[in-house]
Amino acid sequence: MAAIIIVGAQWGDEGKGKATDILGGRVDYVVKPNGGNNAGHTVVVGGEKYELKLLPAGVLSENATPIIGNGCVVNLEALFDEIDGLEARGAKASRLRVSGNAHMVAPYHQTLDRVTERFLGKRAIGTTGRGIGPTYADKVGRVGLRVQDILDESILRQKIESALAQKNQILVKLYNRRAIDPNEVFEYFMSYADRLRPMIIDAEYELNRALDNGKHVLMEGGQATMLDVDHGTYPFVTSSNPTSGGACVGSGIGPTKITSVLGIMKAYTTRVGAGPFPTELFDKWGEYLQTTGGEVGVNTGRKRRCGWYDSVLARYAARVNGFTDLFITKLDVLTGIGEIPICVAYDVDGVRHDEMPLTQSEFHHAVPIYETMPAWDEDITGCRTFDELPDKAKDYLNRLEELSGARISYIGVGPGRDQTIVVNDVMEN
Ligand code: GDP
Ligand code: IMO
Ligand code: MG
């Protein structure tokens, strides 16, 4: 029995999709515990590139059952568009199941996401505009719509009416928009009902029963630690808990069942959207990482902000997630750059911080303190064992391991499924 959580350790786009794909072939279930179609997970299989948004990347694994967990927010239009797109390319999504407790994104959530961002002006979060925040807000505010509501039309209608009674006041009076007709929203959901019904299951029961029977479950987190609504750079975060505790809540698997927590970490750092980012680069190196690393957001097409590896952030992520292992991705992007700076601590208004400062204001003022390591010049994209790596790459990884609070078990040397060095196999933990 293995219950493995994959967690983004930075601000997202670390390569969680690729990590899922590598392990997905050896597990029975891949469950997405949080987020919605704000994610963008890229998987490259045999030269073919797939970009998953709402679906777990595990949908590409031949034998695993992909599940959208209770902690997710599901946009039905995006769900079926993505399924149709995959099937048109020959991939099979027929095994996909959805927890009855997951919440559904309504068209008015997307409207609210966009108008709220506009209203915030300079203080906007830079969301993906997919309605994620407003859907989670309704979940916590107890006026959300759950996937299981599709199974009871009169309940669904009542819930839409009561949500809109309040939302329409906000849309009309605060944002000067037209009121939304509850019937239109009801019809929108019912137009997907026939396709959705057979996919709805008690996922929490099924996953626990599978684990009790010795099966293997992988939890593929979306977003990342620094975007976590509790542990991230609030308010510049998403509205779910992408940390490991959130993966337990979002899939209904208790913490005592977890066998590994695998933190996915780029060999440098990127961020999409607004918010503090101490090691961000505004010079030619920022541009170098952006272009060489192909750092463009899958979901919104925005260029990702780029910076050096931040080990203060890595230690923080290791702590709040309880990482058992790390997967360092995109090491190949650093080949041939001469020297690699690593952020080892922050200077905040003249005071050295080796660990994450207490307040967000301090984090906003954090200036990285760097040490540098020499880079290697050899092409590493063909390396398949740690020993095959050049000595300078080994030194860089060893230093990251010393600084980052968990052992490095996987190293990515290219986007392909096979371009991975396995040092420890988390299935054996
Ligand atoms: P996710 O959101 O965490 O799944 O990550 P994304 O898919 O949004 O972004 C990661 C990008 O890096 C994708 O384009 C991957 O194909 C690519 N990638 C993943 N691992 C590696 C690696 O080790 N080397 C290189 N060069 N690219 C990688
Ligand atoms: P994956 O799973 C990177 C960011 C958005 C924005 C903030 C809030 O591919 O790593 P939201 O639409 O969630 O309310 O936006 O979070 N964001 C991501 N950034 N990767 C992601 O997902 C992200 N999902 C959300 O850019 O700053
Ligand atoms: Mg992504």
Side-chain angles (χ1 to χ4, degrees), residues 300-379:
T300 55
R302 290 177 288 182
K303 276 189 183 175
R304 295 173 181 152
R305 300 155 63 190
C306 296
W308 300 123
Y309 190 87
D310 183 339
S311 71
V312 180
L313 197 144
R315 288 194 289 277
Y316 175 74
R319 197 157 63 235
V320 298
N321 288 293
F323 289 151
T324 55
D325 303 83
L326 288 176
F327 191 144
I328 301 289
T329 61
K330 298 199 135 178
L331 187 66
D332 51 299
V333 175
L334 301 180
T335 299
I337 69 168
E339 274 191 335
I340 318 171
I342 307 172
C343 169
V344 292
Y346 301 143
D347 179 309
V348 181
D349 303 328
V351 179
R352 182 185 168 110
H353 287 251
D354 288 293
E355 298 300 338
M356 190 62 79
L358 172 70
T359 67
Q360 186 74 5
S361 306
E362 289 168 299
F363 190 65
H364 272 268
H365 293 163
V367 176
I369 298 172
Y370 288 115
E371 67 177 39
T372 51
M373 306 269 308
W376 52 94
D377 292 318
E378 300 89 333
D379 178 4

Side-chain angles (χ1 to χ4, degrees), residues 12-18 40-44 266 298 304 329-333 412-415 419:
D13 307 321
E14 297 89 350
K16 298 176 290 292
K18 176 180 155 170
H41 295 187
T42 316
V43 177
V44 182
K266 261 180 215 176
V298 172
R304 295 173 181 152
T329 61
K330 298 199 135 178
L331 187 66
D332 51 299
V333 175
V413 292
Q419 289 179 299

Side-chain angles (χ1 to χ4, degrees), residues 209-268:
R209 201 187 48 174
L211 288 171
D212 289 343
N213 289 331
K215 300 253 197 288
H216 308 307
V217 174
L218 183 68
M219 282 149 264
E220 177 192 351
Q223 291 74 51
T225 304
M226 301 312 287
L227 291 172
D228 185 286
V229 69
D230 284 80
H231 299 291
T233 47
Y234 189 91
F236 301 100
V237 292
T238 192
S239 299
S240 67
N241 286 115
T243 40
S244 58
C248 290
V249 176
S251 51
I253 296 172
T256 51
K257 299 254 173 74
I258 304 303
T259 53
S260 304
V261 182
L262 177 60
I264 317 298
M265 190 99 82
K266 261 180 215 176
Y268 50 97

Side-chain angles (χ1 to χ4, degrees), residues 41-61:
H41 295 187
T42 316
V43 177
V44 182
V45 189
E48 280 273 312
K49 185 164 151 183
Y50 296 89
E51 290 179 344
L52 289 316
K53 289 176 183 152
L54 176 54
L55 299 182
V59 73
L60 299 173
S61 306

Side-chain angles (χ1 to χ4, degrees), residues 36-37 54-55 68 72-84 96 98-99 102-107 109-110 130 132 135 145-151 156 160 185-197 199-200:
N37 61 325
L54 176 54
L55 299 182
I68 295 179
C72 292
V73 292
V74 186
N75 177 318
L76 296 184
E77 187 182 356
L79 174 72
F80 292 113
D81 277 357
E82 204 169 322
I83 291 174
D84 293 345
L96 180 75
V98 184
S99 164
H103 277 245
M104 298 190 292
V105 181
H109 290 129
Q110 284 162 271
R130 308 281 183 242
I132 304 300
T135 309
L145 311 169
R146 291 196 290 176
V147 163
Q148 60 178 284
D149 296 334
I150 286 283
L151 304 175
L156 178 65
I160 293 170
V185 178
F186 179 76
E187 292 307 328
Y188 163 84
F189 282 114
M190 291 318 293
S191 71
Y192 296 105
D194 288 345
R195 282 189 82 180
L196 183 62
R197 262 186 227 103
M199 297 164 72
I200 304 173

